[in-house]
Amino acid sequence: MFLEQLTLKNYRNYEQGCWQFQNKVNVILGENAQGKTNIMESIYVLSMAKSHRTTNDKDLIRWDKDYAKIEGKVGKKNGPIFLQLTVSKKGKKAKLNYIEQAKLSSYVGHMNVVMFAPEDLNLVKGSPQIRRRFIDMEIGQVSPVYMHELGQYQKVLQQRNQYLKLLQSKKQTDETFLDVLTEQLVELAVKITLKRYEFIELLQTWAKPIHAEISRGHEQLAIHYCPSVDVLDKQQWSRIVEVYNDKFTQIKTKEIERGTTLIGPHRDDLSFTINGKDVQTFGSQGQQRTTALSLKLAEIDLIFSEIGEYPILLLDDVLSELDDFRQTHLLNAIQGKVQTFVTTTSIDGIEHRVVRDADVYEVVSGQMMRR
């Protein structure tokens, strides 16, 4: 798949603009704070109906306007599709082929993107929240039902935390409603946990040979899912439910004392090992970056294996963060394979055919022009 046309209105520092793109590498040049990353973000938001940079949708709207609109024409093997997302102070409206979608989960997944930005290099050494977000966003692209279940989990979790706070402050004393919320939370938690296990297994299948190739055969990468409850992916559904219920019973008093939910998918994590050693603790910066690069390249193949089309790759200011060897490997891997958008302040010094053959755009103060 590839993005044929992008139209923006009142998006960040873009008043309006419409651009046509080829199914190849598109380089977006510009100094910092001119709007390069805003273009990348708009493509991501068009795909995922949420930003990778902010949780506040109002940030996407041009400062003196009431709404922002992103439209895209996406070329796919079965013909083009048309996507439209409008963000206002009242919320978001999504249209697929000009028909408004009742749920965002029925919109997400029709255009797939893989974003690789400098903050993704913190995937290994950063907080567990970064790794959970990585898992959730990627599973959501190939499994819209997962995004729906995750949204339901977040709602029940919020209700449960609110009720725990009422029990903590003695404004409520009846624990029956807490038990009802726990039962609902466990059912959703098990679905999310099993889907994450399945995803990590697939991701490892693709990431392991990529990492071995980048490390010239010297390193073996392994990815481990670390749930906050001692469950295994090979266990039966009923057994995992039982483990969750037992754990919630054990920590019930502690949760009321603290006024928050202490276990569940919102507390899970990932870990990575190279040749059996933990990369976060013992890995060099180079190994950590190779691990992040391997994961991102693996996502491309994983999505292709699941949906039969390659996603769109967004490389936001990341080439300058990689040394020549990793940069060359990345560019070789995408050559002639995926439509790619690359933002950078300069292409000087990048001696690679992919960049030489690219379409180049220049951004100045919220205006983007083809060179």
Side-chain angles (χ1 to χ4, degrees):
M1 73 182 66
F2 71 103
L3 184 62
E4 292 184 36
Q5 181 174 300
L6 175 70
T7 305
L8 298 182
K9 184 162 186 176
N10 303 331
Y11 187 88
R12 296 270 193 185
N13 68 331
Y14 288 86
E15 189 171 2
Q16 59 184 23
C18 182
W19 305 274
Q20 314 283 332
F21 300 109
Q22 299 298 313
N23 188 7
K24 59 189 293 190
V25 174
N26 300 274
V27 175
I28 301 170
L29 286 174
E31 296 299 321
N32 293 328
Q34 298 302 301
K36 300 191 306 294
T37 293
N38 291 344
I39 292 286
M40 298 294 248
E41 180 192 43
S42 72
I43 298 171
Y44 188 92
V45 174
L46 183 67
S47 166
M48 300 298 295
K50 63 170 70 176
S51 170
H52 66 296
R53 295 159 75 196
T54 178
T55 54
N56 187 351
D57 291 333
K58 291 174 187 172
D59 293 343
L60 308 179
I61 303 170
R62 190 174 168 89
W63 68 273
D64 56 344
K65 303 296 180 182
D66 296 323
Y67 72 94
K69 187 184 286 185
I70 315 166
E71 295 177 322
K73 180 185 178 184
V74 183
K76 301 186 79 170
K77 63 183 180 183
N78 294 328
I81 61 165
F82 298 87
L83 300 175
Q84 184 191 94
L85 193 75
T86 305
V87 181
S88 70
K89 287 159 189 178
K90 295 177 184 175
K92 284 180 279 207
K93 285 185 180 177
K95 289 184 180 179
L96 171 63
N97 290 333
Y98 310 108
I99 298 168
E100 190 167 332
Q101 303 298 296
K103 295 178 182 176
L104 287 175
S105 58
S106 61
Y107 169 88
V108 173
H110 291 279
M111 170 179 143
N112 303 95
V113 298
V114 170
M115 167 72 81
F116 194 15
E119 55 264 31
D120 291 311
L121 294 167
N122 290 322
L123 201 56
V124 177
K125 63 180 180 180
S127 69
Q129 186 179 0
I130 293 171
R131 289 183 286 279
R132 283 194 296 271
R133 182 179 171 81
F134 162 73
I135 301 172
D136 292 338
M137 299 308 277
E138 301 324 316
I139 300 176
Q141 293 210 60
V142 293
S143 175
V145 70
Y146 176 84
M147 292 304 280
H148 176 70
E149 287 165 352
L150 191 66
Q152 293 297 109
Y153 177 85
Q154 296 292 354
K155 283 180 187 173
V156 177
L157 178 66
Q158 190 176 16
Q159 277 184 289
R160 193 173 186 273
N161 283 340
Q162 285 170 350
Y163 200 74
L164 281 167
K165 282 183 171 59
L166 292 174
L167 291 169
Q168 180 193 39
S169 61
K170 303 289 194 292
K171 289 178 182 174
Q172 283 285 356
T173 55
D174 184 6
E175 295 178 10
T176 308
F177 185 54
L178 177 65
D179 295 336
V180 171
L181 290 171
T182 302
E183 188 179 333
Q184 292 175 1
L185 196 75
V186 167
E187 186 176 341
L188 291 162
V190 175
K191 288 179 182 177
I192 292 165
T193 300
L194 288 172
K195 196 68 186 173
R196 284 179 177 178
Y197 264 121
E198 183 186 327
F199 172 75
I200 296 305
E201 192 174 336
L202 277 173
L203 188 66
Q204 164 136 321
T205 301
W206 294 107
K208 190 175 178 180
I210 291 170
H211 190 99
E213 190 180 336
I214 300 174
S215 65
R216 301 176 175 92
H218 297 306
E219 297 176 356
Q220 290 288 314
L221 173 68
I223 309 169
H224 311 275
Y225 182 42
C226 311
S228 56
V229 176
D230 191 16
V231 296
L232 302 170
D233 60 328
K234 302 293 186 283
Q235 289 174 330
Q236 290 185 331
W237 173 282
S238 57
R239 176 59 189 145
I240 298 176
V241 169
E242 193 180 312
V243 172
Y244 263 108
N245 284 331
D246 288 349
K247 189 66 178 176
F248 272 120
T249 301
Q250 288 171 29
I251 63 171
K252 190 175 189 179
T253 304
K254 190 186 288 186
E255 286 191 316
I256 292 170
E257 285 172 1
R258 296 195 187 177
T260 192
T261 303
L262 297 174
I263 58 168
H266 65 292
R267 295 285 182 119
D268 295 352
D269 200 357
L270 281 181
S271 71
F272 310 94
T273 58
I274 289 176
N275 298 340
K277 291 186 177 177
D278 183 73
V279 184
Q280 189 174 25
T281 308
F282 302 106
S284 65
Q285 187 183 53
Q287 287 175 320
Q288 291 174 350
R289 292 190 165 204
T290 299
T291 299
L293 177 56
S294 301
L295 292 174
K296 287 293 170 179
L297 291 175
E299 279 183 66
I300 295 170
D301 290 321
L302 191 157
I303 289 172
F304 179 78
S305 72
E306 290 291 300
I307 67 169
E309 294 194 68
Y310 283 109
I312 296 159
L313 179 63
L314 308 175
L315 300 175
D316 188 20
D317 213 20
V318 80
L319 288 182
S320 59
E321 299 287 329
L322 298 171
D323 61 29
D324 289 346
F325 177 75
R326 291 178 181 85
Q327 193 182 89
T328 300
H329 189 93
L330 171 57
L331 294 172
N332 285 342
I334 65 173
Q335 193 166 359
K337 187 169 164 181
V338 293
Q339 186 191 36
T340 305
F341 292 86
V342 180
T343 63
T344 182
T345 53
S346 172
I347 52 175
D348 295 341
I350 304 175
E351 298 298 328
H352 198 286
R353 188 175 144 196
V354 167
V355 174
R356 287 199 302 272
D357 295 345
D359 285 347
V360 179
Y361 298 80
E362 195 150 8
V363 175
V364 179
S365 300
Q367 299 284 330
M368 186 166 81
M369 302 290 290
R370 173 94 181 266
R371 260 191 180 186

